[in-house]
Amino acid sequence: MDLKLKIWRQKNSSDQGQIVDYDIKGVSPDMSFLEMLDVLNTELIEKGDDPVAFDHDCREGICGMCSLQINGKPHGPDAAITTCQLHMRKFNDGDTIYIEPFRSRAFPVVKDLVVDRSAFDRIQHAGGYISVNTSGNTQDANAIPVNKDNADHAFDAATCIGCGACVAACKNASAMLFVSAKVSQYALLPQGQVERKKRAEQMVAQMDAEGFGACTNTGACSAECPKEISLTNIARLNREFLNSKFN
Amino acid sequence: MSWFSSTFSSSIGRKFAMALSALFLVFFLLMHLTTNMLSVFSANAFNEASHFMGTNPVVQFLLQPVLIAAVVFHFVMGFILEAKNKAARPVKYAKKDTGNATWISQNMIYSGLVILAFLVLHFIDFWVPEMNYKYIEQLPAVTDRYYGELVHKFQNPVRVVAYVIAFVLLSLHLLHGFQSSLQSSGINNKFTPGIKKFTEIYAIAIPLGFVLIAIYHFINH
Ligand code: HEM
Ligand code: SF4
Ligand code: FES
């Protein structure tokens, strides 16, 4: 199939950037979206042009590295997948496709479609961990009884791959879904109790310092999340934070 | 940073304060509707209730200032959140697909602005004349004047139409806002689907009540 691509091109973080039109012909419906971009880049390189920079790593839907706002939606039109798992059969011959970077003050554009998501790493460093002594006498985690419901919810929260689609989808570029998943996975497990208050407090403080917006509870994030992280986690984050302040 | 500022200048703390002020207003609407409802059933009962509210010191010097503070806090915080949230995405998307998120949940500021415009009108209509009557001109207390004043206001079709529009927007504001304020306060559990139904019924029934009363007086007099 033949497609018209409207791709955000930006030389570097200080460049203004603009949408550039590309025509691409003979795209196979079995290609992944990233493979389609690979084909475009091969053509650009052959012509001596600068290829389009975009993020990717595993191409298996597990690392969270691929991004892209495709026709206004993070990871494109399909539900519960990452861009590397999106296939061209979701599009029709002759379609125009907008391809833009994830937009947020906290995710500055590095080049073209590549954004710097290290704000998420800094939020993790602020409290998204448990402190254990790995001296060789560490208690076997499987020996600690955990309520089945809590284990399931913690596991669901832990499936977040830190891709940033929630931020890209939110009208406020809020990172609440991501932070709520990271806080929830520990709040529900015995190992997370010791640093529970500090964790919620510090991760929220870092989230705000990075310049993400507040949550208006529109639900756009959860709908676009490749791991379908639920909004109940955001309520839990609110509880954890308020508890750390008022208890 | 002090405890207070690290709590209430945080995004979650701000939304919690927003939710508390909103829940207070949501509750106030029920009180207000109950008083107004009296005007449909009995002019006397309405006059008595209005006179009580207008002269009782607890209502006048405690509840009324708290209410005004809650309204002002709510819309000022609404503007602050809106500005901060806009600033979190300085470069807009060329193409945006808002997916499943409802229009109203993404545009609370616009429904809020219509309600604010209505509140200004409402103040000029009822509150300013009351303050003038009681505290500036200090006219003698007439206990049965309220019903007549109310009915007179609703003879003007322009005012009735403005009321209807404002309450439609209030209903939309609450359809998203009421359940949102619970989520902002950290409440989301197995009862939430049921509670959500309740908030939706409330968000439609309460504004509808105000509208029906206005139309009733317009038609009946
Ligand atoms: C009787 C009047 C009003 C009632 C009962 C009311 C109720 C509510 C409720 C329940 C919420 C949800 C709070 C939350 O999500 O935590 C809300 C949010 C909001 N209200 Fe109001 N409201 C009223 C008037 C106004 C006015 C006059 C404005 C002025 C602009 C306004 C602007 C907003 C905004 C912007 C939000 C969304 C905040 C956010 O989630 O980011 N509201 N309101
Ligand atoms: S919550 Fe979902 S959308 Fe957000 S970073 Fe995690 S996996 Fe990605
Ligand atoms: S490249 Fe790893 S999830 Fe897409």
Side-chain angles (χ1 to χ4, degrees), chain A residues 142-162:
Chain A
N142 289 323
I144 306 170
V146 182
N147 163 312
K148 172 75 171 130
D149 267 356
N150 286 353
D152 286 349
H153 288 134
F155 185 82
D156 285 347
T159 58
C160 163
I161 52 178

Side-chain angles (χ1 to χ4, degrees), chain B residues 1-205:
Chain B
M1 230 195 298
S2 74
W3 175 86
F4 188 84
S5 66
S6 77
T7 303
F8 289 104
S9 68
S10 72
S11 54
I12 295 180
R14 280 202 172 103
K15 276 301 307 259
F16 182 54
M18 188 76 183
L20 291 184
S21 68
L23 285 172
F24 178 79
L25 296 178
V26 166
F27 181 68
F28 162 75
L29 286 178
L30 180 64
M31 299 290 100
H32 196 331
L33 180 64
T34 312
T35 326
N36 287 13
M37 202 61 94
L38 292 176
S39 73
V40 175
F41 298 113
S42 150
N44 273 340
F46 181 73
N47 279 330
E48 264 175 48
S50 303
H51 183 70
F52 171 78
M53 303 261 223
T55 49
N56 183 290
V58 176
V59 176
Q60 283 296 297
F61 301 112
L62 184 70
L63 295 185
Q64 184 168 279
V66 169
L67 173 65
I68 293 174
V71 171
V72 172
F73 178 87
H74 184 79
F75 73 74
V76 170
M77 189 54 102
F79 289 133
I80 293 174
L81 283 167
E82 179 68 17
K84 293 222 157 236
N85 290 339
K86 277 256 141 55
R89 175 165 298 135
V91 184
K92 305 278 163 269
Y93 290 112
K95 191 175 166 81
K96 181 82 186 108
D97 182 342
T98 52
N100 71 326
T102 58
W103 183 88
I104 193 67
S105 71
Q106 311 209 37
N107 293 282
M108 291 293 275
I109 193 70
Y110 297 112
S111 52
L113 279 171
V114 174
I115 302 168
L116 184 60
F118 166 79
L119 287 178
V120 172
L121 173 75
H122 197 55
F123 257 56
I124 297 171
D125 262 5
F126 291 98
W127 193 76
V128 173
E130 265 311 294
M131 290 298 119
N132 183 47
Y133 191 103
K134 282 192 300 213
Y135 301 115
I136 298 173
E137 294 187 24
Q138 306 204 335
L139 298 173
V142 181
T143 55
D144 59 355
R145 67 190 161 90
Y146 303 96
Y147 184 78
E149 287 171 6
L150 175 83
V151 167
H152 174 74
K153 295 282 184 202
F154 288 120
Q155 294 320 293
N156 183 348
V158 178
R159 185 179 279 110
V160 175
V161 169
Y163 268 59
V164 173
I165 293 171
F167 279 107
V168 169
L169 270 296
L170 176 65
S171 177
L172 292 173
H173 198 75
L174 293 182
L175 271 173
H176 174 70
F178 195 172
Q179 52 88 23
S180 167
S181 61
L182 301 176
Q183 168 89 357
S184 300
S185 316
I187 302 166
N188 190 330
N189 51 40
K190 63 174 192 270
F191 302 113
T192 292
I195 295 174
K196 203 167 165 179
K197 271 275 148 339
F198 168 77
T199 63
E200 283 166 4
I201 293 168
Y202 192 100
I204 293 170

Side-chain angles (χ1 to χ4, degrees), chain A residues 100 103 105 170 208 214 239 245, chain B residues 6 11 85 88-89 94 186:
Chain A
E100 297 173 79
R103 296 274 188 213
R105 182 155 69 111
C170 176
D208 289 344
R239 271 200 308 279
K245 293 293 189 187
Chain B
S6 77
S11 54
N85 290 339
R89 175 165 298 135

